[in-house]
Amino acid sequence: MPAPCTPSQTVGPFFSIGLDHLNRANLAEGSVGERFAIRGRVLDGDGEPVPDAIVEIWHADAAGHYHHPEHVSPPSEATSFLGFGRIPTDERGQFSFTTIKPGPVHGPDGKPQAPHLQISIFMRGLLKRLMTRIYFPDEPLNASDPVLQVVPELRRDTLIARPTKQDENTLEWNVCLQGERETVFFDC
Amino acid sequence: MKPLLGYRKPAPGTQPSYLYPPYVSSIKRAPKQPLISIPVTLSEITGPTFLKEIASPTAFDLTRQHKGEPLGERIAVSGRVVDEDGRPVQNTLIEIWQANAAGRYLHKNDQHNAPLDPNFTGEGRTSTDDDGRYRFITVRPGAYPWKNHYNAWRPQHIHFSLFGPAFATRLVTQMYFPGDPLLEFDPIFHSVPDEAARRRLISSFDWLSTQPDLSLGFRFDIVLRGRNATPMER
């Protein structure tokens, strides 16, 4: 019987040395689809900004296709979309990135999931990564999304990006590690 | 349609909890609400794949990134990446970073009063081969003080970041060295409750990868999450 999974350890404060080479805040480059930007902040239990976090993004292309061998479906014109991004937070705990809106990916029962981004968060003080999702506001499929359905209704809005005054293609999504508005994190 | 197979949950005690108060930074950053278990979807069993070229042929050798050679004890760190069923994890990106031989990181926030080495950045990456094997050449990192508690020192370690085949298999960990007396006092190492699991973070001295007149060798095998055998397993 092989050993169980190697334990996770924190990225610590100096991860930029090894991880910066993959920093990518514009996932949309060279891809088709509706462009939008997400901006937000990572806040700790005191509401203080976390200046040493890293946010990783994984999502499907505009046709709802993942650039991955396990997603077997007819290739779409968007297949050059890699779907990966990595952004460190700045001194004020802020991050922002630009990407394309993913299409609906089919869920476990064959019905479509609402468009969403898969998010991993790492930082000093986190002994293992946090996993969460970003959903879109005013998206009819949110009502039947199989993952949102298992989240208590009162906490669902922590997963849904909010419109901003800036423009209709800029959304805000914050990560609260603790507190009344604690973001929903997943075990998957 | 075919049911999707997810990845197995870790055995109890083999992973740290988010909150481990002896590691002081975890107190304000660990979520307080329990994680929410979600159904397996394509979004978790897919994940980014990178072209082999992302790791240039020289990126595995941290001793050849500058004009001169870095100071310190030259070591080879090698091993195999497999899943919990022992299957090799092929062609997956590994990123590493570490302090130099004096225990100093090339980072603006590292205030430790130890010298930087102009010939050492402390960054490496490579891709596993078809058998899941990888190898880095580097120097043994020094221990260094940190502010967690009075007279706190981190044991010598190298940070490892791996993707594996899926979003679900992403892993960031640290490799330690055998016989390091500081391990006993390190809250990050001790955040893993299960002793056997914790010990798997310690590399072993590897006579076979030692090169005469050149470098000592350490072996660090990494296990990523295995796949559920049936869709019903949770």
Side-chain angles (χ1 to χ4, degrees):
Chain A
M1 180 69 192
C5 184
T6 302
S8 171
Q9 296 272 270
T10 181
V11 288
F14 307 128
F15 54 77
S16 64
I17 298 170
L19 301 183
D20 268 2
H21 73 107
L22 270 185
N23 285 357
R24 199 155 162 264
N26 183 4
L27 287 72
E29 217 174 331
S31 300
V32 295
E34 180 193 343
R35 277 158 168 71
F36 68 94
I38 298 252
R39 64 176 198 209
R41 290 204 299 164
V42 180
L43 302 167
D44 74 8
D46 290 331
E48 293 293 326
V50 175
D52 51 2
I54 193 155
V55 176
E56 284 185 357
I57 303 138
W58 168 243
H59 74 87
D61 68 18
H65 182 88
Y66 280 109
H67 188 83
H68 188 276
E70 288 208 34
H71 195 167
V72 186
S73 70
S76 68
E77 58 175 327
T79 44
S80 66
F81 180 71
L82 287 176
F84 177 76
R86 173 185 277 173
I87 301 108
T89 55
D90 66 17
E91 294 80 6
R92 288 178 293 178
Q94 295 173 320
F95 63 90
S96 63
F97 60 92
T98 303
T99 189
I100 51 152
K101 185 167 179 179
V105 175
H106 64 80
D109 52 1
K111 288 182 201 142
Q113 299 185 67
H116 64 277
L117 316 180
Q118 297 282 109
I119 302 293
S120 296
I121 302 167
F122 305 86
M123 68 188 78
R124 174 178 64 84
L126 269 188
L127 288 157
K128 51 187 178 183
R129 76 169 156 156
L130 290 168
M131 291 175 277
T132 184
R133 288 182 170 201
I134 302 176
Y135 286 86
F136 293 82
D138 303 324
E139 176 58 63
L141 285 171
N142 286 351
S144 55
D145 181 83
V147 169
L148 280 177
Q149 295 317 299
V150 299
V151 175
E153 208 172 341
L154 279 171
R155 298 188 68 205
R156 272 178 214 166
D157 64 340
T158 69
L159 300 172
I160 300 169
R162 284 195 302 270
T164 60
K165 286 179 190 142
Q166 192 170 324
D167 63 73
E168 60 180 21
N169 287 324
T170 301
L171 303 174
E172 183 181 345
W173 180 76
N174 296 313
V175 178
C176 296
L177 297 167
Q178 299 175 355
E180 267 175 40
R181 302 252 325 136
E182 181 176 316
T183 303
V184 167
F185 300 108
F186 295 124
D187 184 14
C188 69
Chain B
M1 62 182 281
K2 227 169 66 180
L4 300 174
L5 297 179
Y7 284 84
R8 292 206 284 275
K9 308 272 177 176
T14 60
Q15 294 289 332
S17 300
Y18 288 106
L19 178 64
Y20 186 66
Y23 177 33
V24 176
S25 302
S26 74
I27 296 171
K28 294 291 182 191
R29 294 183 168 190
K32 293 199 168 172
Q33 301 283 339
L35 299 183
I36 292 179
S37 228
I38 60 172
V40 178
T41 81
L42 261 177
S43 307
E44 289 76 37
I45 63 169
T46 58
T49 48
F50 302 99
L51 297 172
K52 254 186 159 9
E53 292 76 56
I54 201 159
S56 75
T58 53
F60 81 99
D61 188 343
L62 286 72
T63 68
R64 301 206 179 275
Q65 296 172 349
H66 298 273
K67 273 188 183 150
E69 289 207 44
L71 291 169
E73 179 186 332
R74 200 185 294 117
I75 58 171
V77 174
S78 61
R80 227 176 140 222
V81 184
V82 297
D83 69 16
E84 287 171 304
D85 299 307
R87 283 187 288 252
V89 179
Q90 304 175 326
N91 307 315
T92 198
L93 176 65
I94 306 180
E95 303 163 295
I96 66 168
W97 65 100
Q98 64 169 88
N100 68 21
R104 177 85 185 265
Y105 283 93
L106 183 59
H107 191 285
K108 63 180 193 316
N109 293 343
D110 187 359
Q111 299 299 316
H112 177 33
N113 181 23
L116 286 169
D117 184 339
N119 293 312
F120 192 71
T121 304
E123 170 200 18
R125 49 186 175 272
T126 194
S127 195
T128 57
D129 67 12
D130 289 346
D131 197 30
R133 294 184 194 281
Y134 74 89
R135 187 169 77 109
F136 289 103
I137 308 290
T138 184
V139 294
R140 188 170 174 138
Y144 58 86
W146 61 312
K147 305 285 185 207
N148 190 69
H149 54 275
Y150 173 70
N151 203 11
W153 291 80
R154 286 302 328 276
Q156 300 171 339
H157 63 276
I158 299 176
H159 295 267
F160 274 70
S161 156
L162 296 100
F163 285 86
F167 178 81
T169 56
R170 182 91 175 87
L171 176 72
V172 172
T173 188
Q174 299 181 26
M175 179 200 107
Y176 300 98
F177 289 85
D180 191 330
L182 293 170
L183 283 169
E184 192 184 331
F185 309 104
D186 183 49
I188 294 180
F189 176 67
H190 280 275
S191 68
V192 181
D194 182 79
E195 196 196 340
R198 207 156 61 221
R199 275 204 305 267
R200 285 193 294 273
L201 294 173
I202 307 173
S203 58
S204 53
F205 175 66
D206 182 21
W207 189 251
L208 289 176
S209 67
T210 292
Q211 294 195 42
D213 301 322
L214 186 68
S215 56
L216 294 180
F218 291 88
R219 185 176 172 107
F220 184 52
D221 293 327
I222 298 164
V223 182
L224 300 182
R225 289 170 73 183
R227 206 81 188 255
N228 278 331
T230 71
M232 296 309 287
E233 266 180 70
R234 286 296 292 245

